[in-house]
Structures are given as structure tokens and as C-alpha cells.
Amino acid sequence: MKKFNIRKVLDGLTAASSSSSSSATAQPGTRENDLIQETLQSEHFQLCKTVRHGFPHQPSSMAFDPVQKILAVGTQSGALRLFGRAGVECYCQHESGAAVIQLQFLINEGALVSALADDSIHLWNLRQKLPAILHSLKFNRERITYCHLPFQSKWLYIGTERGNIHIVNVESFTLSGYVIMWNKAIELSTKTHPGPVVHISDNPMDEGKLLIGFECGIVVLWDLKSKKADYRYNYDEAIHSVAWHHEGKQFVCSHSDGTLTTWNVRAPAKPGQTITPHGKQPKDGKKPEPCKPILKVEYKTTRAGDPFMVLSGGLSYDTVGRRACLTVMHGKSTTVLEMDYPIVDFLTLCETPYPNDFQEPYAVVVLLEKDLVVIDLGQIGYPIFDNPYPLTIHESPVTCCEYFADCPAELIPALYSVGCRQKRQGYSKKEWPINGGNWGQGTQSYPEIIITGHADGSIKFWDASALMLQVLYKLKTAKVFERARGKEEKPSTDIVEEDPFAIQTLSWCPESRMFCVAGVSAHVIIYRFSKQEVTTEVVQLLEVRMQCELSDVDSPDPGGEQTPTLPTPGASSSPQEGEPPTQPSTGSTSSDGPRNNIPCLQVRNSPLKQSPGYQVELVIQLVWVSGEPPQQITSLAVNSSYGLVVFGNSNGLAVVDYLQKTLLLNMGTSELYSPSEPYQRQPCSPRKIRQPSGGLCESNEGSNASEDRCKSPTSGSTSPCNSDDERKQQKFIEKVKSKSRRFSKTVANDFAKMSRKINTASEQKPDLDAKDNSFSRSRSSSVTSLDRESREAISSFHFCESFPRKTDSAVSPSLLVGTTQGSVLLVALSLPPSGDQRLQQPVGISSCGTLIRLKGGVLTMALLDSTGALLPPTYEPWYDPNASDEEKEKSRKRRAASPPSSQEGQDSQYAVVCSEKQAKVVSMPSQTCVYKHNITESSFVLRADVVLMAGANCIACFCANGHIMTLSLPSLRPLLDVNYLPLTDMRIARTFCFSSLGQALYLTSPTEIQRITYSQETCDNLQEMLSELFTPVETPEAPNRGFFKGLFGGGAQSLDREDLFGETASGKASRSLAQHIPGPGGMEGMKGAASGVVGDLARARIALDERGQKLGELEERTAAMMASADSFSKHAHDMMLKYKDKKWYQL
């Protein structure tokens, strides 16, 4: 009778129940696997957004709380960004996604009112770390154009497109019955509609007078009590904005013809003064030439000197091409400040929140389309403040991104020390004026670094610790190349039409500080970190010739059983010395012949001064081959312990010894397979023959020649789209088609690749992985760009100390190579002893064939020891390359030790491999697959990383269908699967990255980084870690009226708005006009409201009402007692008179 192994049965059931697509194959190595105790459980994972960094994308409005010192910015997508002191920022989003047209703070009350383009207004509670909406009001019949909330008032004025003004109680968010109708505000004799309301403000000295500006040029001073217009001011040019003098006797209007009109309140007949700040004044006394509209003006007074008038726009029409300007008029001087981008809005920051006092302006906040600038009004020349916020992420478009958590502690100070020398001079010496809020009390103390690569070839290192972001250091990679001065000098940069220095991928070793980047022009630059400045006389250059295999004309291999013949290698596998940089290139540059052996970029010949920080060690360039441009680099890795850099593309891979500055290996992908392998890969054509569709992407992978243009497979397949996912994918592809022409070639190329993957995701053969040892694939000699795309490219590398061959008993330096068609290949490295021999003897390299094969391209690889702990690549501790030899030797003695050897006959390592479709764990050195998990069938994985989480390792994956998943190691149990973010933008696919300790990020817009966490612990501590926007601050005292003003009735006139706008006085508003919507803040929002000042005001009013009621009852009782006493006294008096003259015996 056959015995059952109950343990294996249970293991199989467990694996099957965890996921229908997961399977654990019973291999001899699994018994040892059972000993590994996996500590990670589903309870350790939870997904949530943490913070958003960067400049608000497409800003539309701005507001400032002068007491709390908090700045709010609204965007065209309905987002709100709030900024306080450096490190205090917050992001929230309106559900509707409509543009924010105006923001109004309830000053020093921890609340904010937002007005949206969909005619809704919302009240935000800022007294909680995650602001929530308390109330919303949606207007049904009228469009909102302007809002005004007076200081310390609960009544919000709302102007509409029809010219009417409605009033909203911000405590209850209900409409008042008091309405100012446009036809009552303007003169009855006016026959035309005055247009939308463009301005509302109350007289600083009299709250009962409301100034209303209509677009057509009419301004009305409305008496709220008498409900009629006191004065009407007419001007024949449209109005854009209005500003009061603090004494309430004058106001200034800005107009569409570039003029400013100053009006005296009691003289409505004509303006007291009309000026055109940027207009040319004719000598004959005529009106100056019209200028562009002055979009906004602010009029701020000072106690000691002349007032400030700040305005945007108003330039003359002959300044074509001139950048946007902000004009500051102070006394007789006029200063024009040029901005880098168009102005969206500006605000003048003043010392007092009271509009009826001297304003004392000290700064101007200017919101530009792509920047935020704060100008110091207190210093000569109006210098700008040094902006502490991380708003320069988009200085050049981000092309790649990497995230490193738990870095060496000394790394951030080292980068900061070299980065602080790069700061510009000439900033204001004062402190940043927007300094409200408090930092969070975060428990996370480990260093985090984000590296962004940009289209102009620059690299930025960011300190991302404790949910903050601060730029540490900027590296400009384009400095090593000659810059073309004109179009005629660009003969060799046409591999890409624009941004030839754009960063494609990067590799960084934080411990050794070795840094390596690959650019779109098929170049690789290796950097070392040094604290000393050096001048490099000649930049070390290595040119590499990698070409595609053109001799592959074999017929299709139907069965996969026969051994195909090895094609003639197209790339030399022998070490190839690069030409000395002092010699001119021998490549063919003649116009009549094909380009050959020339690189895409010209390395500079002059000496290169290199500041402290990252300094160029070696430049590697791929060259043109027989008229074919070099293929862009798809993968890159550097190892400081071995002194090697490896990179690959669709032609093959190259290994470079950066210590000896030599090329060690230059091999086609097909040559990596051993001749005996049955499923040896060849350059191949697509799985299905499809007609190329024109127009998806005009970019190419190399040449700009018309015959080499990249055409994608047809995006619309013949089968109908049944599922929602397919429909979304189709929409995305259509969107790509319409937009691809607007992007640079690099980005458009990414779009084309993404489109192909989406289209071919459902066309994968279901039995592709049924048997790992059989594979059939047709091969073609075509070298069109479509075929070039389908060739097997190198997709990932991993340096490790492992067992390159099954027979090995001790670990040795190795390289794992992953390809786009799912193969993982092993390469053995033979390193000379360290010291002088390392610099003189060559490094030996030999290919050891295939380790395993998966569905989809290989994304990431890692190595675990026998206990399941991660084995990171070895590294050499950092030393300063420009330091003395003694210091170098000291640091080199601390070199990391190699992992111990394994016992014979036992597997002591596990190789973890994750592809676009699958994850597998392979036991080493036996090379048996012990665990396998099919991650996705209908979609594909965009990014995968092996990360450390809660003291254990797991695989984190982000799929194109928006799912974020984690798998345990080594058993590949699914621990987390959340549908987080459907892929609608190529930017997300290009920038999404995971880091250890449960962190991840991606570019959510061209200007913003969104950070998320998949750690339950971080989610639990998030409230503590987030910064606080609201801090208790006392409101400044109101200005003193003075003795004479108090005596003779001067000074500000107050108004009891409750008597005017309350329901008892004005009645109820029309129900159909607006709909009240309770906020989604729930109990948390209600608690916030209860603790907020709005709630305090409501409670105080209720308390006052109760007190008044009790006082009234007491008064009634007192009156009743007095009446009773009077009655008793009267009766007593009558009794006394009645018995006054009677004797006692007469009673």
C-alpha cells in the first residue's frame, strides 16, 4: 500500500487555497524550505497615501491667512495644497475634480472656503491633520464668479454671472433671504446688463457699505441697511479688480485697457486720477496708447511712507514675446519684475489682518503657472526669498525615478555638504514669511533618499526622510559633452529629436557611493563621489560597437527538439579597447556613405572642472554600425566590489571594467545561451502577423530615417471589447494615439511600448509555461523597427555571490541576466586579487547558460540565503578617490566579506526572479524551481522589487491594471492585493518605484510626487507623522480708534449683520437656488467642527440665547413679584384705613 506524505498534501492544499494561480512544485529542495519560518502576514500590510510633494499642477487660485501664516493653493483639477513652514504641507482633493476658482480663509479660525467652477462652495476644517469638508452648497441656477468673506464675519458674499449677490451663513452653510439684484444695483435708465460680478468688498471704515464691481465698468457702493445704492461709478472700460485705501475714502480700479482709475467715494462723476503705468505718454496731451489688461491691483498703505501699489499685467502691446511681469509702484518709483512663467495670482502680505488699519506690506506672494515666488518689499531691489519647499521637481521633466530607504546615516550629510555650495546667491536675508503650522511627531527616523533623472540630463538627490522632501544635490551629466550651438552642428544627435541628454535609467550603490547613469543617446557615465575639487584634463572615453545579428536566416523551429545552430555573432565577444580620447574618432562621417563607428554625442575635449560631489570616472558610448544607430540602453548595473559596470539593450550586453577602463565582454543575447539548450532564443518576429497601424507613434528606437520609423501593432483587435478593463485599455490607447505627437521621442517611444504590451497581454499562449524545457519560436531576418522591438533585449541585471554552475560547491562572483522574453541567464566572473593585480590582470567572464525561464520580461532578481534572509550584492566601502593613498587603504580594509560557502550536496541559496507575469524561487546550486506564482493573466507587472518589510523580505509588484501586490518569500504567498491606481498615464509607469520598509512613490502629475505606504505600521502612525496646519494663535488687537475719532464719530462703523441677513429680518431663501450637502468628514469632521472656532461661535451664540432666555424669565418673575408686592401693599393700606379710627372693642 502506497503511503501518503501528509505534510506534502497539506502544503499543497495551503498553496492552492492561497491563490488559484499559485502553485508550489514538490521538488527535493522543498523539505529544506519548510524549515524557513515566514513571519510576514497579511496584517502587516495596508495601502494608503501619505504625502504629496512638488508644485501644484495647473494652479488656479490662492489665499493666505495672515495670522496663522498658512498659504492655500487651488488647482484646475480640484486639488488643494496647503503650505506652512518648511516641511509643513498638506494635500486634499474635491471629489468633483472641478477647478478651484477662489479661496477664502476664515482668518485664524482653522477653516477655509473654496469656490469651484461647478458652482459649488465648500467649507474645509483645517483643525485636523487631514482636512475634511464640513459643508457644501451647490448652486443650481447661477454661476459663481466672485466670493468675499469680511474679516471676523460669518456671512459670505457670493457674486454671480447674472450680476446678483447672494449671502451665505458659513456656520450653517445656508442661504440668507437677503439678495442684491443687479437691476436694483445699477441705474434704472441703463438698458444693458452690467455683466458678471467681478469684485465685492466692504468699505474698511463702514461694514454697512458694500462695493460691487461689474465687468462692464460699473462700480456700485451699496448700502446694506437701506437696501439701495449710495453711489454709482461709471467707466467705459471693463473692470478686472478693485482695491480700497484703508481709510475707506478712496478705491482703485484696474481696467482692460491697462489703466488704473482712482475714485473718491463721494465723487462718483469722474475718477480723481487716471494713469497708465506702462503706457507711452503722448506729448500733445492725448490719451496714452492702450495697453494689455491689468488683471489685478492691490493698494497697501504704510504708516511711515508712501503707499505700495502692486499690479500684474498692463504691459504695452509692442512688448511682444516679453515675459509676464509684476509691477511695484512705491512713491515715484516704478519697478517691473520679470517672471519666468505667466502669473496666475498674487497676494500682498501685510502685518495686520484688519482692513481699516495701515497695512504695512512686507512681501508679495506670486503664484506662477509653474513656480511660487515670494518678493521681499522691505529690501532695496525687491529680492526674492529662498523658497524652502520642494517645488523644483519639474524644473526639467522627470524621466526616471528611484527610491532608497534606510540608507547609510552619513550619506545625507555628505550630499548636503556638497549640495549647499550649489545654491544661488542674492536671496533676501529675512526668514521665509509663510511659517505657520507644526511638524509631525514622526516615529520613522531612518534616512530616505529619492533620486530623479531629468530630460536635460540632470540628476537630483532628495532627502525624503520623515515624510518631508528637500533637495540635497544636483548633478549635471550634460557637462561632459559638447553642446551644439546651432542646428547645422547636430549631425550625430539625431537618435532622438530633442533632449539628447535625457536620463534613461540609473544604478546607485549607496554604501560605496558609486553612481552610474544611462542616457537616451546610448551613453553610460560612471561617477565617483569626492569631497575635493579636481580638474580633469581629458575625460576618459570608451566606445563600444554593439550590432544586431543579421546572419540569422534559419527556418522556424516547429518542435523545439532540435538544437539550432549558433548564428554568427554580430557583436565581438573579445575584449575591445576603446580608442584613446586624445585621438579623433575614426568613424565614417561622410555624407555620401553610411555612418559607422561614430557616437551620438561628442565628449568635450577641453579640461573639465569638477566641483566636490559626483565626478566623472568614465564615459561609455555606443556607436553607429553601418548606418544603423545604436539601440537605447534598457538595463544597467554597477558593482563597486568587482569594479564592473554592465549594461544591455536589444542587441546584447556589455561588461566594462571601470578600474582598468576596458571592455571585458560584448556579446549578443543569443550567444549567452549554451549551444545544447533546446529553447535557445533568437531574434524573432511578433507572435501574430499583424499589419502595422500608422500614426500611433512617429518615434523610433534609433534612426530618424523614414524606413526605420516605429510602427505599433494595431491597437484595435477584431474581437469586441467585452470587459470594462479592455474598454479602459482601448480608451487609454486612443488617448495615446491623439497625444503621442506632442511628446518628445523618448516619451512617445514609451507610449508605443506600453500600447504593444496592453494589446498583446491577452494574446499570451496559455501553455507557454506548461513545460519549462520546451519552447518554440519563429525567427526572422527582418531588421525593421517592429522586429527590433520584438528581439530579445536585456531587461535586468543582478550582481551576486552565488553558484554559476550546478556542480559548484562554493560561491563565486556571478551575474544574473534577465531578458525581455523571460530567460534568466548565469554569467560567472573571475576576479584577480585586490590591489595592484586587480588593476593589471584581466577579469575573466564565462557564460553558464540558462537558470530558469518565466512568462514575460524579467523585471527583478534577488538572492536569499538558506534562512530566507536577503543576500545583498557585495560592495566596497566608500573612499575619496582624490584622498591620499593611506586614507584609501584604510577604507579598503573595511571591504565587505563574501558570504560563506555551502556544504556539499545541499542547497544553500534561493534565487528569486519576478517577471511581467510570474514569480519563481529557484534553489541553488541545484537550479530547481521550488515555488512559482502566476501574478497576473490579463495584465502585466510594470514594476517589481524585492523589499525588506517588518524584518522580513517580500516581493512588491505594481500592475498595469492598477493592482499593488506583495508576495511572501520564499513561498510566494499573496499577502496584499489592492486595486489602487488604474494606469492612465505613461508617467506613472515610468516613475513608479518601491523601497524597503513599506514605502513607494510615483509622479502623479508632471510637477508632483505622490508617496504611498503599504505598511500597516506606517498607516497606524500616519496621524502622528503628518504635520499640523492649525496652531492656537491670538488674533492681533484691533486698531485704536483714538480719542478724537471716538469723540466725533470717526473710525470704523460696525454692522450687526445678523439683524440684516438673519431669517427673522430677511426671510428664507429660495430652496431651488442652491442645495446644501453635508460634508463627507463624518464624525471626525463633526468633532473637528465642534472643536473649531466656527463651532465655538455657534456654541457661544446658543449660550447667549440660553442666557438671554433665562434673564428674560428672571425679569418676568421679578416683575410678577413686584406686582404681587404692590397688590399686597395696597390691600394692607386699605385694611389700615378701614380700621384706623375704630376702638379695639369695636372690632
Side-chain angles (χ1 to χ4, degrees), residues 90 110 125-134 1023 1027-1030 1081 1083-1089 1091:
C90 179
N125 173 30
L126 307 182
R127 290 186 169 228
Q128 54 198 65
K129 290 192 172 184
L130 290 170
I133 293 176
L134 299 176
Q1023 279 291 333
S1027 51
E1028 286 182 289
L1029 291 169
F1030 181 80
M1083 286 304 294
E1084 188 180 2
M1086 295 305 292
K1087 287 174 188 172
S1091 63

Side-chain angles (χ1 to χ4, degrees), residues 82 293 803:
L82 297 126
F803 306 93

Side-chain angles (χ1 to χ4, degrees), residues 1020-1031:
D1020 292 342
N1021 297 327
L1022 189 58
Q1023 279 291 333
E1024 291 179 20
M1025 295 162 66
L1026 292 174
S1027 51
E1028 286 182 289
L1029 291 169
F1030 181 80
T1031 51

Side-chain angles (χ1 to χ4, degrees), residues 491-726:
S492 61
T493 59
D494 58 354
I495 184 173
V496 285
E497 208 169 64
E498 54 189 32
D499 300 324
F501 309 111
I503 305 300
Q504 185 100 345
T505 184
L506 56 90
S507 176
W508 188 46
C509 175
E511 290 80 11
S512 67
R513 304 185 192 174
M514 287 300 301
F515 186 58
C516 196
V517 298
V520 294
S521 296
H523 62 275
V524 174
I525 311 176
I526 303 160
Y527 289 91
R528 282 187 187 271
F529 187 85
S530 174
K531 294 181 179 178
Q532 300 176 25
E533 184 178 296
V534 294
T535 299
T536 306
E537 293 297 326
V538 177
V539 176
Q540 294 287 313
L541 173 64
L542 192 64
E543 292 184 352
V544 179
R545 179 185 171 96
M546 294 177 77
Q547 68 187 70
C548 53
E549 302 90 345
L550 299 176
S551 58
D552 178 29
V553 291
D554 293 346
S555 58
D557 178 11
E561 296 298 325
Q562 64 189 37
T563 304
T565 56
L566 193 67
T568 305
S572 169
S573 59
S574 59
Q576 171 185 332
E577 291 282 339
E579 293 179 14
T582 53
Q583 297 178 2
S585 175
T586 57
S588 167
T589 55
S590 60
S591 58
D592 52 345
R595 289 183 187 150
N596 197 30
N597 291 338
I598 59 169
C600 300
L601 299 174
Q602 183 69 41
V603 174
R604 63 184 291 166
N605 296 318
S606 55
L608 177 65
K609 183 181 177 182
Q610 303 199 72
S611 303
Y614 275 106
Q615 298 170 353
V616 179
E617 174 85 359
L618 178 65
V619 178
I620 306 164
Q621 288 185 288
L622 301 188
V623 296
W624 286 65
V625 179
S626 305
E628 277 285 315
Q631 298 300 293
Q632 289 184 354
I633 291 160
T634 53
S635 53
L636 175 72
V638 62
N639 187 281
S640 58
S641 182
Y642 306 155
L644 301 178
V645 164
V646 58
F647 57 91
N649 60 14
S650 59
N651 287 338
L653 66 86
V655 182
V656 170
D657 183 339
Y658 66 77
L659 297 177
Q660 296 185 25
K661 312 288 190 297
T662 56
L663 177 67
L664 300 175
L665 181 73
N666 182 3
M667 186 178 277
T669 314
S670 59
E671 296 177 78
L672 291 170
Y673 295 91
S674 62
S676 60
E677 288 186 82
Y679 52 89
Q680 176 196 354
R681 300 304 175 95
Q682 305 293 342
C684 59
S685 34
R687 293 182 195 86
K688 291 190 176 182
I689 297 170
R690 287 175 287 183
Q691 296 298 321
S693 66
L696 171 63
C697 172
E698 292 191 1
S699 70
N700 56 356
E701 302 251 35
S703 170
N704 280 334
S706 58
E707 64 270 12
D708 284 335
R709 289 190 183 270
C710 168
K711 304 291 184 183
S712 88
T714 46
S715 55
S717 58
T718 53
S719 59
C721 296
N722 297 323
S723 67
D724 289 340
D725 287 342
E726 287 177 3

Side-chain angles (χ1 to χ4, degrees), residues 732 750 753-755 757-758 795 857-860 914-917 935-936 939-945 956-965 981-994 1002:
F732 173 60
D750 288 339
K753 291 177 186 176
M754 184 60 58
S755 160
K757 287 185 177 179
I758 289 172
S795 59
V858 176
L859 297 175
T860 190
C914 185
S915 74
E916 294 171 326
K917 294 284 186 179
I935 299 171
T936 177
S939 185
F940 57 93
V941 179
L942 286 164
R943 177 76 187 223
D945 289 290
C957 307
F958 173 56
C959 284
N961 59 11
H963 283 251
I964 290 178
M965 293 174 276
L981 181 76
L983 182 68
T984 54
D985 198 330
M986 190 61 217
R987 185 187 309 105
I988 299 169
R990 202 169 58 246
T991 58
F992 197 103
C993 51
F994 294 98
Y1002 59 92

Side-chain angles (χ1 to χ4, degrees), residues 75-79 93-100 116-118:
T75 73
Q76 292 181 23
S77 59
Q93 175 74 41
H94 293 91
E95 281 187 16
S96 67
V100 181
L116 307 190
D118 64 354

Side-chain angles (χ1 to χ4, degrees), residues 177-204:
Y178 192 113
V179 182
I180 304 172
M181 305 299 289
W182 68 270
N183 54 354
K184 292 184 180 177
I186 65 170
E187 288 180 292
L188 296 174
S189 59
T190 307
K191 295 180 181 179
T192 56
H193 190 279
V197 175
V198 294
H199 179 82
I200 308 169
S201 61
D202 44 359
N203 188 318

